[in-house]
Amino acid sequence: MSAPCLRLPAAGSAPAEADSAGGMEPPGAAALELALEEELALLAAAGEPPEPPPAAAARDPELLSLIRQKEKDLVLAARLGKALLERNQDMSRQYERMHKELTDKLEHLEQEKHELRRRFENKEGEWEGRVSELESDVKQLQDELEKQQVHLREADREKTRAVQELSEQNQRLLDQLSRN
């Protein structure tokens, strides 16, 4: 049995192709997968009666054993290659899904941040207006308090003067009574 050759596309010969999940595969990945599948199909057919070994291989059992071992290695490498390719595609799809989820979450957080900033600015404007009103009220109340304190001091002075006048008048009356 002769070892089949893989027909791989030349590196860089094809542009990146979209996979079924919408992600991008490296150039030639689809062709590589197709070539691996064809090769596996050929190797699966290896269960058919083997080709007669070349005359030299028939005479040398070591060479025949080596060829068979190489064929087994080739089958194993093809299976491993296909498994790795499938794993890579799964990881690419998972990466694309996670990237989309993170992008969506980031967009949602940006919108939420914008909404919170807008609400903060509205509240800040309201509070600044309220503080201005309260400062105006405080100023007005301080002016009113000052006026009331001036009136109270005036009233105290008048009361003190009235008490003094009445005391003096009482003293004069007592003096008059004591003379009479």
Side-chain angles (χ1 to χ4, degrees), residues 64-77:
L64 184 60
S65 174
L66 184 62
I67 290 172
R68 286 189 177 136
Q69 183 60 42
K70 294 286 181 184
E71 288 176 348
K72 287 180 185 177
D73 290 347
L74 184 60
V75 169
L76 181 60

Side-chain angles (χ1 to χ4, degrees), residues 9-62:
S13 63
E17 301 169 352
D19 69 5
S20 61
M24 296 304 285
E25 289 185 352
L32 177 62
E33 183 177 359
L34 183 60
L36 285 174
E37 287 178 6
E38 288 175 4
E39 199 63 34
L40 280 175
L42 288 173
L43 291 173
E48 298 173 5
E51 297 176 11
R59 283 178 277 163
D60 189 1
E62 279 186 32

Side-chain angles (χ1 to χ4, degrees), residues 30-141:
L32 177 62
E33 183 177 359
L34 183 60
L36 285 174
E37 287 178 6
E38 288 175 4
E39 199 63 34
L40 280 175
L42 288 173
L43 291 173
E48 298 173 5
E51 297 176 11
R59 283 178 277 163
D60 189 1
E62 279 186 32
L63 183 59
L64 184 60
S65 174
L66 184 62
I67 290 172
R68 286 189 177 136
Q69 183 60 42
K70 294 286 181 184
E71 288 176 348
K72 287 180 185 177
D73 290 347
L74 184 60
V75 169
L76 181 60
R79 288 180 182 156
L80 181 61
K82 183 174 182 183
L84 287 173
L85 184 61
E86 288 173 355
R87 176 76 175 142
N88 188 24
Q89 289 171 342
D90 288 345
M91 290 176 73
S92 292
R93 284 189 290 273
Q94 184 179 7
Y95 169 79
E96 290 297 324
R97 180 184 51 80
M98 289 171 59
H99 185 266
K100 183 179 181 341
E101 287 174 2
L102 287 174
T103 302
D104 292 347
K105 182 69 174 176
L106 181 62
E107 183 179 326
H108 174 75
L109 288 173
E110 285 293 330
Q111 289 174 354
E112 192 173 301
K113 176 184 166 185
H114 176 73
E115 176 63 23
L116 289 172
R117 185 177 308 272
R118 188 186 61 75
R119 287 175 41 199
F120 172 76
E121 289 170 355
N122 286 344
K123 290 293 181 187
E124 188 177 40
E126 289 175 16
W127 284 110
E128 286 175 358
R130 183 70 179 138
V131 165
S132 178
E133 287 175 16
L134 290 173
E135 286 173 347
S136 175
D137 290 349
V138 165
K139 175 80 168 109
Q140 185 180 4
L141 289 171

Side-chain angles (χ1 to χ4, degrees), residues 162-175:
V163 166
Q164 189 174 359
E165 284 178 12
L166 287 173
S167 292
E168 288 174 4
Q169 196 175 29
N170 281 343
Q171 188 62 39
R172 282 191 302 261
L173 286 174
L174 279 175
D175 287 342

Side-chain angles (χ1 to χ4, degrees), residues 147-159:
K147 287 178 187 175
Q148 291 296 329
Q149 287 174 339
V150 167
H151 289 308
L152 184 60
R153 282 192 295 267
E154 254 181 55
D156 279 345
R157 274 186 251 137
E158 286 181 23
K159 179 180 143 187

